[in-house]
Structure formats: structure tokens, C-alpha cells
Amino acid sequence: VRYKDLAYLSIGEGIGVNLLRGANYRAGIGLAYDMGREHNAATRLAGTGNIDPAPVFKAFAQYAFVPVVLAVDVKQALTSYQGLTADIGAYMPVVASEKIQIFLGPEITFADSRYMQAYFGIKPQNTDAQSHFRNYSAHGGLKHAKFGVAGLYHITDHWLLDADVGIERLLGSAPGSPIVQTPWNWTVAGTINYTF
């Protein structure tokens, strides 16, 4: 749900407000949610320990150099692993009509050592994990690079469909983790939005 260009409420993005906005820029803050990870969600993760769900503070900014839009998101977990991540991306429209808009572009994500160790590291003191995996220390830096396509379809003046497809590749110390089976991943998402 979006209110003009002032605020949003979303399952994927959480809740946020645009504190600064103009003809070719906007910036704001928000509160999102990291679902964490259950060690028993997959047999392969047995013994690695849980990553508790956590609220995440987010600061974001976008600036348009027509036709390219640059975007930066910085996220800090407020509990649990206390990790920090930053997404830097660019996208441009390839279809722009009254009914349909399609954008594509790359994105790169950085993460601090707390985040990387929580999601990709194996702690030496975890004896259960040692029986399945070698000890592994993941360090901060690059996490992954992604290329995505996003499309908007306006059903009415207020209702619209949003669809996203992306492919990403783990980078830095992430693909070397013993829990990683493949460095490649696909993401697909779709939402229905209502704008006031």
C-alpha cells in the first residue's frame, strides 16, 4: 500500500516514509523484517544454529540521471545477529507506457562480518556443525551481485500488479562456505498494490 509519494507499507519492504523528495530524487527511512533462518528448515543446515528473526532499520535514497535511476539501501538489524548490509543498484526503463512499465538493471550487495558470519560461517564451538562441516569464517565485504527485471501493470488508477525476476551470484567469502551448494540463485516475486 502506498500513499502518494510519502509512505508505503509492504510485505517485502516493510513500512517507510520518504523524508526528502523532488523531481529526480527521493530519500527516506523505514523498518523492515529479516525472517532469519531455522537450522531444521533443511537437513543440510542441521547443527548450524538458528538465526533469529529481527526487525531491520533501513535508510534509502534514489537519484535519477534520465533514463538511469541509481538506488542505495542500507539496512541494520536491530536484534539477533546485528548485521549491516548495503545494496547499490541502477535500473532503467525499457518499456514505459500508461499501462505497463518494465525496468531492468544490476545490483550489488555488501555485508559486514557479523552478517556474513551469521549466514555463511561455521562456528568452531558448534560440535554438531563440526560433524557435518569444516569450520569456516566468513568475512565482511561483497555478498552477491544481481541482475533483475521488474514490471508494473496498472489495472486501474489505484490498483497495480508488481512482478520481479532476478538472478544472483554469491561473491566474496559467501560461495566458499561449506553450507553453500551453488553460488547461483533465482528470485521471483509478485505483489498487488493499492495507491491512495
Side-chain angles (χ1 to χ4, degrees), residues 59-95:
F60 57 87
Q62 292 183 348
Y63 191 86
F65 298 90
V66 178
V68 177
V69 178
L70 300 179
V72 177
D73 285 355
V74 178
K75 300 172 187 173
Q76 172 68 57
L78 300 179
T79 60
S80 185
Y81 59 89
Q82 301 294 335
L84 176 75
T85 62
D87 305 318
I88 302 172
Y91 62 91
M92 63 181 294
V94 291
V95 175

Side-chain angles (χ1 to χ4, degrees), residues 17-163:
V17 293
N18 294 324
L19 300 178
L20 302 171
R21 61 190 187 283
N24 59 346
Y25 69 90
R26 68 176 178 138
I29 57 173
L31 189 65
Y33 194 69
D34 188 324
M35 296 296 290
R37 186 181 71 202
E38 292 284 335
H39 76 274
N40 58 3
T43 304
R44 183 169 176 79
L45 296 175
T48 58
N50 293 335
I51 301 172
D52 295 329
V56 177
F57 174 78
K58 178 170 73 170
F60 57 87
Q62 292 183 348
Y63 191 86
F65 298 90
V66 178
V68 177
V69 178
L70 300 179
V72 177
D73 285 355
V74 178
K75 300 172 187 173
Q76 172 68 57
L78 300 179
T79 60
S80 185
Y81 59 89
Q82 301 294 335
L84 176 75
T85 62
D87 305 318
I88 302 172
Y91 62 91
M92 63 181 294
V94 291
V95 175
S97 69
E98 236 178 82
K99 278 280 190 186
I100 300 173
Q101 292 92 46
I102 298 176
F103 306 87
L104 58 79
E107 180 181 88
I108 192 163
T109 297
F110 298 85
D112 68 2
S113 57
R114 278 179 175 264
Y115 181 99
M116 295 295 285
Q117 183 61 27
Y119 277 94
F120 300 101
I122 302 296
K123 297 178 182 178
Q125 67 268 28
N126 193 323
T127 55
D128 288 339
Q130 284 180 323
S131 65
H132 299 286
F133 307 110
R134 68 183 188 280
N135 296 335
Y136 187 76
S137 294
H139 55 79
L142 288 171
K143 176 180 175 275
H144 70 256
K146 179 179 179 179
F147 186 85
V149 179
L152 298 173
Y153 176 72
H154 296 263
I155 304 168
T156 68
D157 289 342
H158 295 284
W159 288 98
L160 61 94
L161 297 175
D162 182 356

Side-chain angles (χ1 to χ4, degrees), residues 147-187:
F147 186 85
V149 179
L152 298 173
Y153 176 72
H154 296 263
I155 304 168
T156 68
D157 289 342
H158 295 284
W159 288 98
L160 61 94
L161 297 175
D162 182 356
D164 301 279
V165 178
I167 184 170
E168 64 183 54
R169 171 65 156 82
L170 291 176
L171 299 172
S173 60
S177 171
I179 68 171
V180 172
Q181 291 179 292
T182 174
W184 294 95
N185 188 44
W186 284 92
T187 55

